[in-house]
Amino acid sequence: MPAAQKTRSLQAKPNSTAKPRIALALAGGGPLGAVYELGALCALQDSLDGIDFTQLDHYVGVSSGGFIAAGLANGITPRELVAMFVDDDNQDAFDPRELMRPAWGELARRLISLPGLVGRAAFTALLLRKSRMQVLEMLGAALPAGICNNDYIDQRLSEIFSAPGRTNDFRQLRTKLTLVATHLDSGEAAPFGQPGLDDVPISKAVQASAALPGLFPPVEIKDAYFVDGALKKTMHATLALQEGIDLLLCVNPLVPFDATLPEVQRIMHRGLPPERQRIPAIIEGGLPTVLSQTFRSMIHSRMELGLRNYARDFPQTQIVLVEPNHRDPEMYLANTFSYSQRKALAEHAYQTTRAWLRGRRTQLGASFAKHGIALNAVALADERVHLTTPHPAPTQIGRAVAQLQDVLDDLAHSLAHRQAAA
């Protein structure tokens, strides 16, 4: 079984009596990414002793990662966030289906502008003898800047963060939170929560950071417009690294899918039929899957470049990256606008992250120990543990095979790490 995630570790500071400074950077990825990150974070919280994911020194969130970062900084545990974003039985849940409502206000504004645009286009075509392409470019201003309404993000999160013990004000948090959007007119990163941008409500900053161009209209804040923070960088972890962080945990939910396995291995086992749940080639999904694969590849290559830069510029900080396996069909085929699918995906992320921890326990155990964190061997070995969906108890043979695979994964990764170091 291939490793469910991969890790990158950089040189750590020597042991010190001072409390280690730990930060968390969460990348974006839409509802799919948020559900994966929640499952992975729950697995980390349940499997690591000596770390509380609501008590870290700095949280950096981009796009959908901003939802989770803002919740953790407000003292909401990973499992409580799962109840809010994944569990359909929770009456106070954040419902991502609300984000599919049309942006009627934006559509109306563009429609109102259409007669004037048509008049100017006609004048340009008839009197100024401009080309058809120039005329069409003028009419392009009638197209909406986004088709779905994202006001629900600000409204619902404002309610959630107004509960006792929480806050919608960056300046009143007990820890540091940075939510990154992109300034539409300049193309520069806008780190909400940093000085000068810390008076914006947290809920509004999340809305701006998650305003994916084309899907959601840009968000207006202080007479400026902001869109998805991932347009500039994937992680924006430099904001935390510059503060002398000792350990940086990064969770990236989107990776390009590797569909090149032999046909016999390209089978999902989610109950099999219909059609034995064959994993399709990327091209079979048409334009949506081609664009998805392109987007995933672009942001992942940019993130890898960023990690190399972090290694060069911040050698004193240890960085651990958690992300899905590139050959994980569950992540590729998931439909996160279905509550049942989101539950299954959260459980899948939880279990694959636990498997990754078991398969890397030698290296990770040594890395985490430098910062007062220990892998909980008992919790990792407990096969009854689940996040949302109970699983049937494995057979004795199944347990033996799984344990053997974990040992082999750990050994192979340790050897590869030693060879790379040599």
Side-chain angles (χ1 to χ4, degrees):
M1 180 177 71
Q5 283 89 7
K6 61 184 179 182
T7 179
R8 313 227 177 169
S9 296
L10 309 181
Q11 181 181 356
K13 286 183 176 180
N15 285 335
S16 170
T17 55
K19 180 179 179 294
R21 291 173 53 79
I22 304 174
L24 175 67
L26 299 173
L32 169 70
V35 172
Y36 172 82
E37 289 179 334
L38 287 172
L41 286 170
C42 285
L44 292 172
Q45 184 69 88
D46 292 350
S47 306
L48 300 177
D49 293 333
I51 184 172
D52 182 345
F53 279 89
T54 66
Q55 300 291 329
L56 304 185
D57 295 277
H58 196 159
Y59 300 87
V60 180
V62 181
S63 193
S64 61
F67 285 82
I68 303 169
L72 294 171
N74 259 291
I76 306 174
T77 68
R79 281 187 176 265
E80 288 172 339
L81 287 170
V82 168
M84 286 183 180
F85 289 95
V86 178
D87 191 355
D88 55 331
D89 297 326
N90 186 350
Q91 297 298 318
D92 297 323
F94 181 100
D95 188 353
R97 291 175 296 191
E98 292 288 333
L99 301 178
M100 291 297 99
R101 296 184 182 275
W104 295 119
E106 171 68 10
L107 294 171
R109 283 191 294 272
R110 300 294 174 171
L111 187 61
I112 291 172
S113 71
L114 185 58
L117 289 172
V118 170
R120 287 194 293 272
F123 175 81
T124 300
L126 296 175
L127 299 181
L128 302 182
R129 304 292 184 180
K130 297 295 183 179
S131 68
R132 292 180 180 178
M133 186 58 66
Q134 289 173 309
V135 172
L136 288 175
E137 286 177 355
M138 293 182 63
L139 293 176
L143 296 175
I147 59 175
C148 295
N149 188 355
N150 57 354
D151 289 339
Y152 174 75
I153 296 175
D154 180 27
Q155 297 165 1
R156 187 70 190 95
L157 291 184
S158 179
E159 295 171 359
I160 292 173
F161 297 151
S162 296
R166 302 172 189 166
T167 179
N168 201 26
D169 190 331
F170 285 101
R171 297 162 296 186
Q172 294 181 13
L173 290 170
R174 291 172 294 178
T175 186
K176 192 159 188 178
L177 170 67
T178 305
L179 303 172
V180 186
T182 302
H183 191 290
L184 184 60
D185 289 325
S186 70
E188 294 300 318
F192 292 104
Q194 297 286 326
L197 288 174
D198 55 357
D199 58 336
V200 176
I202 294 172
S203 56
K204 179 63 72 173
V206 173
Q207 180 189 4
S209 181
L212 182 64
L215 182 62
F216 299 119
V219 177
E220 183 178 6
I221 301 175
K222 296 182 177 180
D223 298 322
Y225 288 88
F226 299 88
V227 293
D228 197 311
L231 268 65
K232 189 70 176 178
K233 291 181 181 179
T234 302
M235 282 281 187
H236 291 277
T238 305
L239 296 165
L241 290 167
Q242 289 172 338
E243 299 177 344
I245 291 296
D246 299 298
L247 173 63
L248 175 67
L249 298 173
C250 301
V251 184
N252 171 52
L254 291 187
V255 298
F257 180 64
D258 186 351
T260 60
L261 289 173
E263 190 66 30
V264 132
Q265 293 177 276
R266 296 173 66 233
I267 300 292
M268 291 182 65
H269 297 286
R270 196 191 286 163
L272 291 183
E275 300 181 2
R276 290 186 55 80
Q277 297 284 345
R278 185 181 66 86
I279 301 171
I282 299 294
I283 192 64
E284 292 182 35
L287 181 62
T289 57
V290 171
L291 290 178
S292 173
Q293 182 77 335
T294 302
F295 176 73
R296 287 167 179 251
S297 299
M298 290 174 59
I299 64 171
H300 193 264
S301 63
R302 188 173 59 179
M303 185 200 66
E304 289 185 319
L305 176 62
L307 287 173
R308 289 195 292 269
N309 291 337
Y310 299 156
R312 181 196 65 215
D313 298 337
F314 304 97
Q316 77 284 359
T317 302
Q318 184 165 18
I319 300 178
V320 175
L321 170 67
V322 181
E323 63 180 14
N325 183 356
H326 290 247
R327 289 183 169 180
D328 186 346
E330 298 287 346
M331 288 293 296
Y332 171 56
L333 297 174
N335 172 17
T336 53
F337 289 99
S338 161
Y339 265 122
S340 60
Q341 284 283 317
R342 285 203 295 276
K343 283 185 174 182
L345 179 60
E347 181 69 31
H348 179 71
Y350 180 78
Q351 297 299 344
T352 53
T353 303
R354 280 165 43 84
W356 170 71
L357 289 168
R358 291 193 299 265
R360 299 288 190 274
R361 57 184 174 270
T362 298
Q363 182 194 354
L364 286 175
S367 298
F368 284 135
K370 299 174 183 177
H371 308 286
I373 303 170
L375 286 170
N376 188 324
V378 175
L380 281 173
D382 190 348
E383 298 163 350
R384 300 166 299 176
V385 174
H386 60 85
L387 180 61
T388 61
T389 307
H391 288 274
T395 63
Q396 186 174 358
I397 295 177
R399 285 196 298 269
V401 170
Q403 291 170 359
L404 176 60
Q405 186 65 62
D406 289 339
V407 171
L408 292 176
D409 283 346
D410 188 25
L411 178 60
H413 190 270
S414 297
L415 290 174
H417 181 67
R418 288 177 180 274
Q419 290 173 353

